[in-house]
């Protein structure tokens, strides 16, 4: 068994806790949880039958944790990951890895210096629909991808479950754009240039709530990558990402409702690629929740086999470089080369 500790027992962490519990059969053993808020710590500890702490040092010093899942907000990631690294405890960090790339690099470099395994919980690419698209591309059914539109557009009230999102200095690109930028890399490879226009369409949030980005990939493919929390359309696809990829011999399109249509050499076929609800998932969050289960399963497998996670710290810095390039592009109205 791999002994797992979890810090940060808030809204989204419930998905991580349920996922670890589901992965018992794969060798995951949740052994302790921690939250600064004693009520949250106690609720999670009692629900999942493990000791609970409000002090992370106490939890880590109690010993036995091999893998620490840090599900707090980004501001505390450097501080908490340093505590794990100095005790040689492997770490999974929630996205976004940090508020800025300099801090993200410092976190990754510190883990490298200490020789500690570190991964970023970038979950979108582990969702069932996204994995099916990747499999279509890899199967060569559509040929060489050369254009894409990857779109996360919603007006769902994300501020209710995550009120801090209305107050952050960087919103659409850093919170959800980071997911779609990661998908652009996952499907079409590394990026040469990016341009971006941002908008703050909802006056009661502090930062940009809409980002429209154009990427030129090293392969020559071009993608339009969109993220907004202020789309007033029905039906609202939240939290689905809609994908259109055109390629030399066909296309793959994932539409709202998880219907994937693959066109291959002039023949089109559609199928439902969603997954059934789990006992702890519900709509509309299910697509995001089941991605957490697959992400945790991947993390566990990679850690146990001593290999890097697909979304290792080093990998995620490449996605983070796109985030920074997008902000710079939006500020200067120019296309920007990412710095990694
Ligand atoms: O998955 C996430 O990153 C969440 C939300 C779906 C609201 O963007 O923060």
């Amino acid at each position: 068994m791999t002994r797992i500790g979890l810090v940060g027992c808030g809204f989204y962490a419930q998905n991580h806790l349920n996922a670890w519990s589901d992965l018992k059969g794969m060798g995951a053993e949740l052994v302790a949880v921690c939250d600064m808020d004693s009520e949250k710590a106690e609720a999670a500890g009692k629900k999942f039958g493990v000791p609970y702490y409000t002090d992370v040092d106490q939890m880590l010093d109690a010993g036995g944790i091999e893998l620490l899942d840090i599900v707090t907000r980004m501001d505390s990631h450097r501080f908490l990951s340093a505590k794990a690294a100095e005790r040689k405890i492997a770490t999974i960090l929630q996205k976004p890895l940090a508020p800025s790339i300099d801090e993200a690099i410092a976190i990754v470099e510190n883990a490298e210096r200490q020789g500690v395994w570190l991964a970023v919980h970038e979950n979108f690419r582990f969702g069932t629909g996204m994995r099916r698209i990747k499999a279509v591309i890899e199967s060569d059914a559509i040929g060489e991808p050369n254009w894409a539109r990857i779109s996360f557009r919603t007006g769902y009230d994300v501020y209710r479950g995550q009120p801090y999102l209305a107050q952050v200095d960087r919103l659409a690109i850093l919170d959800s754009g980071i997911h779609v930028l990661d998908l652009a890399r996952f499907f079409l490879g590394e990026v040469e240039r990016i341009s971006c226009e941002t908008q703050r369409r909802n006056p009661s949030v502090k930062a940009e709530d809409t980002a429209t980005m154009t990427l030129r990939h090293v392969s020559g493919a071009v993608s339009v990558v969109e993220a907004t929390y202020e789309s007033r359309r029905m039906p609202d696809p939240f939290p689905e990402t809609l994908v259109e990829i055109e390629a030399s011999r066909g296309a793959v399109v994932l539409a709202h409702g998880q219907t994937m249509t693959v066109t291959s050499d002039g023949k089109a076929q559609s199928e439902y690629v969603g997954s059934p609800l789990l006992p702890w998932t519900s709509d509309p969050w299910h697509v995001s929740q089941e991605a957490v289960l697959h992400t945790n399963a991947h993390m566990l497998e990679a850690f146990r086999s001593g290999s890097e996670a697909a979304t290792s710290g080093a990998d995620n810095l490449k996605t983070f470089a796109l985030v920074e390039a997008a902000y710079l592009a939006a500020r200067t109205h120019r296309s920007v080369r990412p710095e990694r």
Side-chain angles (χ1 to χ4, degrees):
M1 296 297 273
T2 299
R3 292 184 305 276
I4 296 163
L6 183 141
V7 53
C9 300
F11 174 74
Y12 202 79
Q14 302 309 310
N15 301 319
H16 290 231
L17 288 162
N18 279 302
W20 289 128
S21 164
D22 274 15
L23 292 168
K24 239 178 233 149
M26 238 185 93
E29 185 187 4
L30 185 71
V31 294
V33 296
C34 178
D35 197 292
M36 286 188 316
D37 178 331
S38 57
E39 278 178 26
K40 286 184 183 165
E42 182 177 350
K46 288 194 167 149
K47 180 163 181 205
F48 293 93
V50 294
Y52 50 91
Y53 298 83
T54 52
D55 181 318
V56 73
D57 286 308
Q58 267 179 24
M59 177 174 85
L60 298 178
D61 290 339
I65 293 174
E66 297 165 89
L67 180 59
L68 182 66
D69 190 12
I70 298 177
V71 205
T72 57
R73 279 156 50 185
M74 59 186 173
D75 322 61
S76 54
H77 287 181
R78 187 172 187 179
F79 163 80
L80 290 169
S81 61
K83 287 183 178 295
E86 76 196 23
R87 293 167 171 93
K88 308 290 179 206
I89 296 171
T91 308
I92 303 168
L93 282 148
Q94 181 60 293
K95 57 61 65 176
L97 180 51
S100 69
I101 193 150
D102 289 345
E103 208 168 311
I105 291 169
I107 291 170
V108 173
E109 285 184 351
N110 185 48
E112 278 168 6
R113 245 191 328 273
Q114 303 271 9
V116 164
W117 189 94
L118 181 138
V120 179
H121 201 280
E122 171 43 74
N123 64 47
F124 273 34
R125 62 160 89 178
F126 292 99
T128 300
M130 301 305 139
R131 298 208 293 191
R132 291 296 300 272
I133 292 172
K134 181 75 169 176
V136 167
I137 295 170
E138 284 178 343
S139 74
D140 198 36
I142 61 172
E144 199 57 43
N146 45 32
W147 185 92
R149 179 175 181 188
I150 308 174
S151 169
F152 182 87
R153 310 195 70 83
T154 185
Y156 182 84
D157 187 7
V158 293
Y159 311 107
R160 199 170 39 171
Q162 293 156 273
Y164 62 91
L165 290 177
Q167 303 305 326
V168 290
D169 294 323
R170 299 171 129 192
L171 177 59
I173 301 174
L174 186 55
D175 192 69
S176 55
I178 198 166
H179 287 304
V180 264
L181 288 167
D182 190 66
L183 287 174
R185 287 186 54 230
F186 184 52
F187 295 140
L188 301 171
E190 299 308 338
V191 175
E192 213 167 77
R193 291 194 296 279
I194 180 166
S195 45
C196 175
E197 290 293 335
T198 57
Q199 294 163 287
R200 186 170 70 102
R201 295 195 284 164
N202 177 348
S204 57
V205 306
K206 187 172 168 197
E208 88 290 350
D209 56 28
T210 302
T212 307
M213 301 170 263
T214 309
L215 281 58
R216 175 106 196 171
H217 294 260
V218 173
S219 69
V222 169
S223 61
V224 180
V225 173
E226 306 166 351
T228 182
Y229 286 131
E230 195 53 29
S231 169
R232 299 283 153 207
R233 64 172 75 191
M234 304 275 264
D236 189 318
F238 182 83
E240 293 176 49
T241 305
L242 309 185
V243 180
E244 302 165 39
I245 297 176
E246 296 178 357
S248 53
R249 292 181 11 248
V252 55
V253 174
L254 182 69
H256 176 38
Q258 303 291 283
T259 303
M260 182 174 80
T261 302
V262 178
T263 304
S264 181
D265 298 319
K267 287 196 198 75
Q269 212 162 14
S270 296
E271 82 180 283
Y272 172 71
V273 294
S275 62
L277 289 183
L278 300 163
W280 52 274
T281 68
S282 59
D283 284 323
W285 280 92
H286 171 76
V287 169
S288 170
Q289 292 171 311
E290 68 105 45
V292 173
L293 179 63
H294 298 310
T295 310
N296 287 17
H298 170 77
M299 297 293 166
L300 186 64
E301 210 171 11
F303 172 68
R304 287 168 79 106
S305 65
S307 48
E308 292 268 288
T311 53
S312 64
D315 177 84
N316 197 253
L317 289 180
K318 292 186 187 158
T319 295
F320 214 116
L322 296 185
V323 166
E324 293 290 353
Y327 278 111
L328 181 57
R331 262 202 317 277
T332 57
H333 301 287
R334 301 169 73 139
S335 77
V336 173
R337 273 178 194 279
E339 272 182 37
R340 282 191 105 81

